[in-house]
């Protein structure tokens, strides 16, 4: 936990913890426990959507292969039709077919089983835009496109770098305001440096690392944590006239109390998760599962989480790096899905991926360059699985949604995706329009969920 986080954190109190067995957790879920969690997996650098959702029908595969020929010859496992994992395709695609790469066999299986879907060509938009609008300079588009920091911020908040609030945090604010959840330090949890998405007016990111509460960096210089705790406990009735000192003491006590509560909840909750891969992303998602298992001790009915994975800025060496990244993503998401099912919460936890942007269809030699729209995954038992939402433009240049070199102009706005997720969490339409004021410019939310 960073300085700015614990300075914001207030109102945390120690709670008694009790032993909660895995069987009790599953029974609670089966009885319709009012709990939901949203998990964002942010892929830093800009995931190459063109090499994730791959055309499989003959004509489109050949077009795609022609554009990607210099990369295809260098991949360790050839991306031939025989090695790709076919996805069933909605009829609106007019017999076009799609597949996942060889390294994503697990996600392909979840898609076939109806536990995962694809969201096609989603990205930041202010209003619907096509290539003609860009050419004629009549389009209103998000500022600073193709910039890593700015587009990460825009995905998370709708604004460029320096934004104050993210839509994950604002969704939680709305849930607090309507009584869907209580305000606790544990409503918004990160295992990565992604505070913005979780920050709202009354929602602040809580950091978790290696299955425990994150370290408060400003206090790391103290060697004796118990002595430090005793010191701040003794300051509770401080008579200092220094207002800043009073506030600092209060907030530090609150942060330390929250850390103790979180660690005690983890230590005193009995659960056994299936094995996770040893990759950094998989271990972050394991931490998320451990946290979700303690939800009753932490006294929260709604939670938003964000985890992160880097390495997707594949300007060069893409054929060597991207398959490894895709394999790690596949293993982590499959393990998470299995673990959530073991907790009996598969219908109450939804995971989705996000990234700075997609990448160019055109190859720059042995890599690809920054794009705009991208294809992403959504996973969970509540999701309308085994389908593709939105659109996937053809694998060619100079079509109606090409911003140049195969940079996809989004056909689905982040606001539409985010509002759909917020609605599932329990946010009403009037609050969603306040959080996403540009939503009125589009055709509405996506039908991502069952029922």
């Amino acid at each position: 936990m960073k300085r700015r986080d614990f300075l914001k954190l207030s109102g945390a109190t120690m709670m008694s913890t009790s032993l909660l067995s895995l069987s009790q957790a599953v029974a609670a879920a089966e009885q319709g426990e009012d709990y939901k969690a949203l998990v964002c997996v942010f892929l830093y650098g800009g995931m190459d959507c063109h090499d994730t959702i791959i055309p499989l029908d003959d004509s489109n595969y050949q077009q795609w292969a022609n554009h990607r020929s210099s990369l295809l010859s260098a991949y360790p496992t050839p991306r031939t039709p025989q090695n790709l994992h076919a996805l069933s395709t909605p009829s609106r695609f007019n017999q076009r077919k799609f597949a996942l790469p060889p390294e994503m066999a697990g996600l392909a299986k979840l898609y076939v089983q109806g536990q995962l879907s694809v969201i096609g060509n989603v990205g930041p938009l202010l209003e619907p835009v096509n290539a003609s609008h860009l050419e004629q300079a009549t389009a209103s588009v998000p500022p600073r496109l193709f910039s890593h920091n700015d587009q990460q911020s825009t995905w998370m908040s709708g604004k460029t770098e320096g934004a104050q609030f993210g839509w994950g945090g604002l969704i939680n604010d709305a849930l607090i305001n309507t009584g869907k959840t209580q305000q606790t330090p544990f409503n918004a949890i990160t295992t990565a440096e992604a505070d913005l998405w979780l920050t709202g007016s009354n929602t602040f990111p809580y950091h978790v690392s290696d299955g425990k509460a994150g370290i408060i960096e400003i206090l790391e210089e103290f060697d004796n944590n118990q002595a430090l705790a005793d010191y701040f406990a003794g300051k509770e009735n401080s008579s200092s006239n220094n207002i800043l000192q009073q506030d600092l003491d209060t907030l530090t006590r609150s942060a330390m109390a929250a850390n103790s509560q979180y660690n005690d909840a983890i230590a005193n909750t009995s659960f056994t998760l299936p094995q996770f891969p040893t990759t950094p992303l998989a271990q972050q998602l394991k931490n998320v599962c451990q946290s979700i298992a303690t939800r009753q001790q932490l006294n929260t009915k709604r939670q938003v989480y964000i985890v992160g994975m880097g390495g997707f800025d594949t300007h060069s060496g893409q054929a060597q790096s991207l398959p490894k990244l895709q394999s790690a993503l596949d293993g982590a998401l499959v393990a998470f899905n299995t673990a959530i099912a073991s907790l009996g919460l598969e219908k109450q936890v939804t995971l989705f991926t996000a990234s700075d942007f997609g990448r160019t269809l055109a190859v720059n030699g042995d890599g690809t360059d920054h794009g705009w729209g991208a294809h992403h995954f959504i996973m969970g038992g509540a999701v309308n699985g085994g389908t593709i939402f939105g659109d996937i433009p053809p694998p060619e240049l100079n079509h109606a949604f090409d911003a140049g070199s195969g940079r996809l102009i989004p056909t689905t706005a982040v606001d539409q995706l985010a509002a759909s997720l917020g609605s599932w969490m329990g946010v009403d339409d009037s609050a969603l329009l306040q959080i996403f004021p540009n939503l009125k410019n589009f055709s509405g939310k996506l039908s991502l969920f069952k029922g």
Side-chain angles (χ1 to χ4, degrees):
M1 185 179 292
K2 295 184 176 179
R3 294 177 180 86
R4 62 179 178 271
D5 301 323
F6 88 86
L7 286 172
K8 291 178 181 177
L9 187 62
S10 62
T13 56
M14 291 294 288
M15 295 172 58
S16 61
T17 58
S18 61
L19 186 66
L20 178 68
S21 69
L22 178 61
S23 60
Q24 288 174 309
V26 172
E30 289 176 344
Q31 292 169 9
E33 176 190 355
D34 181 21
Y35 173 81
K36 288 183 179 179
L38 194 60
V39 182
C40 174
V41 177
F42 206 93
L43 308 175
Y44 288 93
M47 184 180 71
D48 185 359
C49 59
H50 296 292
D51 219 331
T52 301
I53 309 300
I54 300 173
L56 190 57
D57 58 285
D58 291 341
S59 61
N60 284 290
Y61 175 84
Q62 198 56 56
Q63 283 193 79
W64 172 82
N66 289 340
H67 288 295
R68 291 293 176 107
S69 58
S70 62
L71 290 179
L72 293 184
S73 61
Y75 280 115
T77 301
R79 275 151 158 72
T80 59
Q82 295 77 15
N83 289 334
L84 301 178
H85 302 289
L87 305 176
S88 57
T89 307
S91 59
R92 71 177 188 279
F93 284 97
N94 296 323
Q95 300 185 333
R96 291 175 63 197
K97 298 178 181 179
F98 303 98
L100 296 184
E103 296 77 19
M104 289 185 156
L107 293 183
K109 184 176 181 180
L110 292 181
Y111 183 101
V112 171
Q113 293 173 343
Q115 299 175 61
L116 176 135
S117 283
V118 172
I119 304 168
N121 196 21
V122 58
L125 286 171
L126 304 179
E127 62 183 12
V129 175
N130 59 37
S132 177
H133 296 143
L134 294 181
E135 203 172 302
Q136 297 170 20
T138 60
S140 294
V141 299
R144 301 178 193 171
L145 291 172
F146 320 127
S147 158
H148 283 295
N149 291 350
D150 290 302
Q151 293 313 300
Q152 290 165 12
S153 177
T154 300
W155 244 98
M156 294 180 188
S157 71
K159 298 180 180 179
T160 53
E161 189 174 21
Q164 185 177 8
F165 301 126
W167 54 265
L170 293 175
I171 282 174
N172 188 69
D173 281 354
L175 294 170
I176 293 171
N177 292 339
T178 55
K180 295 284 175 57
T181 191
Q182 296 185 45
Q183 184 173 0
T184 80
F186 315 112
N187 289 351
I189 294 179
T190 177
T191 63
E193 295 295 325
D195 295 5
L196 174 59
W197 186 68
L198 295 176
T199 302
S201 297
N202 298 301
T203 301
F204 312 111
Y206 187 81
H207 287 251
V208 171
S209 177
D210 296 327
K212 296 181 179 179
I215 295 171
I216 305 174
E217 291 178 356
I218 197 172
L219 304 180
E220 283 185 296
E221 61 189 86
F222 293 89
D223 294 326
N224 190 330
N225 289 333
Q226 186 56 52
L228 184 65
D230 292 343
Y231 168 79
F232 279 106
K235 299 290 285 185
E236 188 165 0
N237 297 315
S238 172
S239 59
S240 171
N241 293 324
N242 188 312
I243 296 176
L244 179 61
Q245 182 179 334
Q246 292 174 11
D247 289 346
L248 182 62
D249 289 346
T250 299
L251 295 173
T252 303
R253 283 198 309 274
S254 296
M256 295 182 70
N259 284 0
S260 295
Q261 181 185 340
Y262 186 89
N263 290 336
D264 286 349
I266 293 291
N268 292 296
T269 302
S270 176
F271 55 88
T272 302
L273 297 176
Q275 187 171 3
F276 276 73
T278 58
T279 61
L281 177 62
Q283 291 303 302
Q284 289 179 67
L285 287 172
K286 181 180 179 180
N287 289 342
V288 171
C289 288
Q290 291 172 335
S291 176
I292 288 174
T294 66
R295 63 201 177 279
Q296 294 183 346
Q297 285 96 321
L298 299 179
N299 196 33
T300 180
K301 294 184 178 181
R302 296 289 187 275
Q303 290 181 292
V304 286
Y305 291 85
I306 190 165
V307 302
M309 178 182 182
F312 288 91
D313 194 20
T314 51
H315 286 286
S316 61
Q318 178 165 314
Q320 290 71 47
S321 61
L322 185 60
K324 295 175 184 178
L325 294 167
Q326 290 174 331
S327 179
L329 179 62
D330 181 86
L333 265 58
V334 170
F336 180 81
N337 186 73
T338 301
I340 290 298
S342 77
L343 295 173
L345 294 169
E346 59 268 34
K347 294 182 180 179
Q348 292 158 275
V349 178
T350 295
L351 177 149
F352 69 100
T353 63
S355 190
D356 318 16
F357 34 62
R359 305 195 73 82
T360 55
L361 174 63
V363 176
N364 64 17
D366 67 343
T368 55
D369 296 321
H370 297 178
W372 185 355
H375 315 317
H376 284 287
F377 298 113
I378 183 167
M379 182 177 78
V383 171
N384 281 317
T387 192
I388 298 173
F389 299 100
D391 190 25
I392 297 181
E396 59 190 40
L397 304 180
N398 302 316
H399 55 72
F401 294 98
D402 180 10
S405 300
R407 292 180 175 89
L408 297 181
I409 300 170
T411 47
T412 294
V414 171
D415 289 33
Q416 292 176 278
L417 166 62
S420 304
L421 296 170
S423 181
W424 176 74
M425 289 285 281
V427 180
D428 62 41
D429 287 347
S430 61
L432 289 173
L433 285 172
Q434 290 182 338
I435 299 170
F436 308 107
N438 293 321
L439 187 62
K440 63 182 181 298
N441 298 331
F442 301 96
S443 57
K445 295 176 289 186
L446 307 177
S447 301
L448 300 178
F449 296 98
K450 300 171 184 174

